[in-house]
Amino acid sequence: MKLGDQFRFVRQNMKKNKTRLFMTVLATAMGCAFLIVLASVGFGLQKSIVDNIVGDRLVTGIDIYSKDPSKFKDDVQLYDADIKELGEIPNVKAVTYRNFIGQWMDPAIDGETVSGDRTYQVDFQAEKRAGFGLSAGRMPQKENEILLGYNIRQQINDQGVPSEYLDAAEWLNKTIMLNVGYYEDGELKKKPIEAVVVGISEKPTKEWRLDQSLYVGVDLLKQIESITGTQGGELPYVEEGSTPEQIEELLKSLPAPSENRSYNQIQVIAGHANDVKGISEVLREKGYYNHSIADELKQVNLMFLIMKIGLVFVGTIAVIIASIGIFNTMTMAVTERAQDIGIMKAIGAHPSVIRKIFLLESALIGIMGAVIGTIVSYGISAAVNAGLPVLIQTFMEEKVPEGFLFSVIPPYLTALACAIALGVAMLSGYRPALRATRIDVLRALRRDV
């Protein structure tokens, strides 16, 4: 019997018992859908928690401290060439840094003192790629635009002590006056520079950590250095009573502005949390001392892996329960088709062909159930991701983080579920198929089975 004839025989027999076939396929589809949807919750939570919550700079950031002196001839400073090299490493999304400006420039907005603590020069484009968070405004695009820290605006009481923090967003798009200090003929002078506030950093996640910094770009830093004549706008510590000559000597001891600028607090940002470990190893091979929390991330992923295995196991039980229906359907099919089996054996059909026909029918049931179950599971997943945030916000008055997914169905989960459904269906149909090959021809022709 050819394969096409076998399919034709199976299709004709399946049409005879449409109701029983429908219920069996439905049970298989429900089991397959249950497996996929249940496991998808584990995949969804891992993606949302690891990628969106801990998958920020806390995890994807790799801190670079210095260089191995044995590989860099004792020069452990980090320069522009190093930043370029770090940015060319595969899977690196951005390279950021913090350059401390060596003076507080007494900034003021509309006559109100800005009570911060330090000023940093940063690369705004790199910070944007790295995911620098803003609570208001936008990232600077021009050389005279700056960012303010979230906690930089303070209410000062009558005793001159900060009493509370005010909303710094009210300073957006206002001009900030920076008074750059410099020494001329031994006398400290101030030169004002104007800038525009275009953004406010996001609120720190840790309540005890305050962001009271100013963030300026490299063009503004160069303006400051051109006034002070020192790298990073640094001013020397001058003791009271120092002569102009002594102050001049102190200024000469400070490094002058240089095109080959050195950097501190460099951070390499990985494109994905899973890339952190590989990038860290590459950095060490190149001679860069670094630190990341890849080990902690590995433990988080291990926890989710165990959870997903458990969910797949529970879902597989549902598919196995559905296999009882397949076993019952195939057993009844053998009984009902005993005469047909007897005729096939009488005309010389090989037992393997008869076994193949019944295994083929059980496989088709498994495939149909898997396909329907997969389609249903994708629909349920989409409905859950769209509906649950609305329900949580409506009844629990809690807002779900943007981009949070409760259910994610990767392609290999679908393939695994379909393989399990097909495998269980084949196993369920094997014993009835084996029974069909053992039917006695004479008894089958007398319908005595």
Side-chain angles (χ1 to χ4, degrees):
M1 183 181 288
K2 297 180 180 180
L3 184 61
D5 297 329
Q6 296 175 21
F7 270 105
R8 206 161 28 249
F9 181 79
V10 169
R11 188 168 62 251
Q12 291 174 356
N13 288 326
M14 292 175 73
K15 289 180 179 179
K16 293 179 182 178
N17 297 285
K18 292 182 179 179
T19 303
R20 187 168 65 204
L21 175 66
F22 171 78
M23 296 305 295
T24 305
V25 171
L26 179 62
T28 305
M30 290 176 61
C32 185
F34 181 75
L35 189 160
I36 294 176
V37 171
L38 193 63
S40 73
V41 174
F43 285 95
L45 291 178
Q46 182 182 25
K47 180 176 178 59
S48 298
I49 293 175
V50 174
D51 290 356
N52 299 340
I53 297 179
V54 301
D56 58 10
R57 291 173 69 165
L58 177 66
V59 171
T60 59
I62 305 170
D63 296 315
I64 308 294
Y65 293 104
S66 62
K67 297 186 288 189
D68 186 347
S70 65
K71 293 186 177 181
F72 290 91
K73 299 180 180 178
D74 295 327
D75 186 1
V76 297
Q77 292 293 319
L78 297 160
Y79 300 101
D80 286 314
D82 296 304
I83 291 181
K84 183 179 179 181
E85 181 182 14
L86 296 173
E88 292 174 350
I89 295 175
N91 301 318
V92 169
K93 182 167 66 174
V95 180
T96 66
Y97 58 81
R98 295 283 190 275
N99 267 344
F100 177 65
I101 294 180
Q103 62 170 291
W104 182 247
M105 295 171 287
D106 302 322
I109 298 177
D110 292 341
E112 182 179 349
T113 301
V114 178
S115 304
D117 57 1
R118 66 193 68 188
T119 305
Y120 288 113
Q121 181 263 315
V122 301
D123 183 342
F124 289 121
Q125 294 300 317
E127 292 289 347
K128 184 177 180 179
R129 292 194 300 271
F132 188 99
L134 296 175
S135 61
R138 59 173 175 82
M139 296 294 286
Q141 299 172 353
K142 302 177 181 178
E143 63 179 44
N144 67 329
E145 296 179 339
I146 68 172
L147 296 179
L148 297 181
Y150 183 86
N151 308 105
I152 201 167
R153 192 179 183 194
Q154 303 178 57
Q155 177 73 47
I156 308 298
N157 59 24
D158 296 336
Q159 289 75 35
V161 178
S163 57
E164 63 176 316
Y165 295 100
L166 303 177
D167 186 7
E170 295 180 9
W171 282 343
L172 279 177
N173 302 317
K174 290 190 175 183
T175 299
I176 182 171
M177 190 69 68
L178 304 175
N179 296 289
V180 183
Y182 66 101
Y183 281 94
E184 184 177 334
D185 298 329
E187 183 182 354
L188 179 63
K189 297 183 177 181
K190 297 282 186 177
K191 183 175 182 178
I193 294 180
E194 290 186 352
V196 178
V197 178
V198 296
I200 308 298
S201 70
E202 67 180 354
K203 183 178 181 180
T205 55
K206 298 178 180 178
E207 295 180 355
W208 62 89
R209 294 188 65 178
L210 304 177
D211 186 358
Q212 298 177 302
S213 302
L214 273 74
Y215 301 95
V216 304
V218 66
D219 294 313
L220 202 56
L221 173 61
K222 289 179 179 179
Q223 290 186 47
I224 296 170
E225 291 179 333
S226 67
I227 296 172
T228 63
T230 59
Q231 184 169 295
E234 186 176 358
L235 292 180
Y237 174 73
V238 178
E239 295 182 355
E240 188 176 353
S242 297
T243 64
E245 291 77 15
Q246 291 174 326
I247 295 175
E248 189 66 26
E249 288 298 320
L250 289 173
L251 286 170
K252 290 180 180 179
S253 66
L254 297 177
S258 172
E259 289 297 326
N260 189 23
R261 190 181 301 278
S262 63
Y263 295 88
N264 48 53
Q265 297 189 37
I266 287 183
Q267 193 175 55
V268 173
I269 310 299
H272 191 277
N274 294 332
D275 300 326
V276 172
K277 185 177 180 181
I279 295 174
S280 297
E281 293 174 353
V282 172
L283 290 172
R284 291 189 179 94
E285 290 175 2
K286 290 180 175 291
Y288 293 95
Y289 294 135
N290 66 87
H291 174 264
S292 67
I293 59 172
D295 293 336
E296 286 80 356
L297 179 64
K298 183 178 180 180
Q299 295 301 319
V300 172
N301 283 326
L302 178 61
M303 178 190 70
F304 277 108
L305 177 62
I306 294 172
M307 182 178 72
K308 287 186 290 187
I309 292 174
L311 293 175
V312 170
F313 176 75
V314 174
T316 302
I317 293 176
V319 178
I320 293 175
I321 292 173
S323 69
I324 297 174
I326 299 176
F327 179 83
N328 179 64
T329 297
M330 298 310 301
T331 301
M332 293 297 295
V334 171
T335 303
E336 292 172 352
R337 301 169 200 167
Q339 191 175 31
D340 295 336
I341 295 170
I343 293 172
M344 285 190 291
K345 296 186 77 172
I347 62 177
H350 196 274
S352 62
V353 173
I354 298 172
R355 182 170 62 248
K356 188 186 297 183
I357 289 173
F358 286 92
L359 286 176
L360 185 61
E361 184 171 342
S362 62
L364 285 175
I365 293 173
I367 291 172
M368 292 168 62
V371 171
I372 295 173
T374 299
I375 295 172
V376 170
S377 63
Y378 273 97
I380 293 174
S381 178
V384 167
N385 288 330
L388 268 183
V390 177
L391 293 176
I392 291 174
Q393 189 169 356
T394 302
F395 295 103
M396 302 180 65
E397 297 183 353
E398 293 287 343
K399 188 174 181 180
V400 177
E402 186 177 353
F404 193 94
L405 296 175
F406 293 91
S407 174
V408 172
I409 305 176
Y412 59 86
L413 174 60
T414 302
L416 176 64
C418 291
I420 291 174
L422 180 60
V424 169
M426 294 287 287
L427 289 174
S428 301
Y430 181 77
R431 186 171 179 80
L434 192 63
R435 177 170 175 260
T437 63
R438 296 173 179 173
I439 289 178
D440 181 77
V441 177
L442 295 178
R443 293 181 61 193
L445 293 176
R446 293 198 306 266
R447 298 178 180 269
D448 189 21
V449 176

